[in-house]
Structure formats: structure tokens, C-alpha cells
């Protein structure tokens, strides 16, 4: 079994649904030549059975909006001096910009490439969002399984 050492300063994203860690790493778009990253897939978890885990040294300022959309059950630990300074429980964001794409061909976002795709949460249980421009409904439950 490989051992991933503790980090002095950075973030640890824990309790990620198994298989979603790669999606989160892609979203974070962290320069891997600049930062040390630890990524564990399918680790044992009492709460979930299996989970993914991401450790990023020397990075503490990340956008939690998309992380909450990808996996609202994940937790983010801010590490300072080798200890957890803050623990952040993710949740579904109320508003998302340029993370979900509107699929309505008549929506202005389909015609104008520089317009932001803006969605508002309308049903947390179903994970449904409404497009700000055309009112089309998108379920993120399937998109972020």
C-alpha cells in the first residue's frame, strides 16, 4: 500500500465519490509542474465504501462552486502547519456560471459564443438548474454521476 505524506500547507479534498476525483482534478486545472499533488482513487471509506482523495500542497484558494456541483458530499480541508485549519462542507451552489452548458438550440448561449452560461438551482433534491436566458431545465444528477 502506498503512503501519501501529510502536507504543511494546502488543501485536501476528501470523501469524493469514487471515480469523480479525475473530474475534480480536471476542473481545478492546477499546474502539475508547479505544485505537488497526491491523488488516491478507490480508497476504503466507512461512509461511502470507496472514495477518491486529492491533496494539493501550497494551494488554498480554489473555487468551490464547481466542486459542490460535481460532488456536494465531498469535504475540503484547508491545511496550515500540517493541521486542518478549516473544514468546508460542500453543497450544491445556488448559481453556477460556465460549468453547465445550455443544450437548448434556441438559447442565446447557443448562438453567441461569448455569453456566460448562467444557471440557478431550482430543485436541490433532483439537482435541477434553470438557464437564466431561456428557462431550460438541466439535471446535473446524470451529468455528474
Amino acid at each position: 500500500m502506498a503512503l501519501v505524506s501529510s502536507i504543511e500547507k494546502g488543501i485536501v479534498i476528501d470523501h469524493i465519490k469514487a471515480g469523480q476525483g479525475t473530474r475534480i482534478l480536471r476542473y481545478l486545472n492546477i499546474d502539475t509542474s508547479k505544485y505537488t499533488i497526491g491523488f488516491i482513487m478507490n480508497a476504503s471509506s466507512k461512509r461511502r465504501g470507496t472514495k477518491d482523495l486529492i491533496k494539493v500542497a501550497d494551494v488554498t484558494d480554489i473555487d468551490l462552486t464547481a466542486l459542490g456541483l460535481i460532488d456536494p458530499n465531498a469535504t475540503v480541508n484547508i491545511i496550515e502547519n500540517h493541521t486542518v485549519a478549516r473544514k468546508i462542507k460542500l453543497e450544491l451552489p445556488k448559481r453556477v456560471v460556465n460549468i453547465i452548458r445550455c443544450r437548448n438550440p434556441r438559447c442565446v448561449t447557443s448562438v453567441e459564443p461569448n455569453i456566460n452560461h448562467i444557471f440557478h438551482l431550482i430543485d436541490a433534491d433532483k439537482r435541477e438548474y434553470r438557464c437564466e436566458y431561456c428557462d431550460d431545465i438541466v439535471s446535473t444528477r446524470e451529468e455528474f454521476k
Side-chain angles (χ1 to χ4, degrees):
M1 180 169 145
L3 180 66
V4 177
S5 63
S6 68
I7 56 177
E8 183 178 346
K9 178 184 174 194
I11 60 167
V12 175
I13 306 169
D14 198 1
H15 306 293
I16 302 168
K17 182 178 178 184
Q20 293 296 334
T22 54
R23 177 174 272 154
I24 289 174
L25 271 177
R26 209 172 348 182
Y27 168 75
L28 292 175
N29 197 24
I30 294 172
D31 183 354
T32 55
S33 67
K34 199 174 180 184
Y35 299 102
T36 302
I37 299 171
F39 179 38
I40 300 172
M41 296 176 68
N42 298 314
S44 295
S45 169
K46 291 177 187 171
R47 189 183 338 173
R48 290 191 141 178
T50 59
K51 67 179 181 178
D52 290 354
L53 175 87
I54 300 169
K55 289 185 175 187
V56 184
D58 301 319
V59 172
T60 57
D61 57 337
I62 60 168
D63 180 7
L64 300 178
T65 306
L67 297 184
L69 187 64
I70 294 168
D71 190 349
N73 296 311
T75 55
V76 176
N77 298 313
I78 307 299
I79 309 298
E80 293 175 7
N81 298 319
H82 294 283
T83 60
V84 177
R86 278 188 315 152
K87 186 175 275 243
I88 301 167
K89 176 75 174 103
L90 297 176
E91 55 188 41
L92 283 173
K94 304 284 187 240
R95 180 177 184 260
V96 293
V97 180
N98 294 330
I99 300 167
I100 307 170
R101 297 268 179 228
C102 188
R103 296 184 186 117
N104 181 353
R106 290 176 276 166
C107 182
V108 67
T109 59
S110 297
V111 182
E112 297 291 332
N114 295 326
I115 291 182
N116 289 328
H117 290 255
I118 303 171
F119 284 83
H120 300 276
L121 181 65
I122 57 169
D123 190 328
D125 293 332
K126 294 180 182 177
R127 294 179 66 170
E128 290 181 337
Y129 286 82
R130 177 187 50 78
C131 175
E132 184 168 288
Y133 306 105
C134 71
D135 294 328
D136 202 40
I137 307 295
V138 173
S139 173
T140 61
R141 182 168 282 170
E142 290 301 313
E143 190 169 336
F144 296 108
K145 269 187 178 174

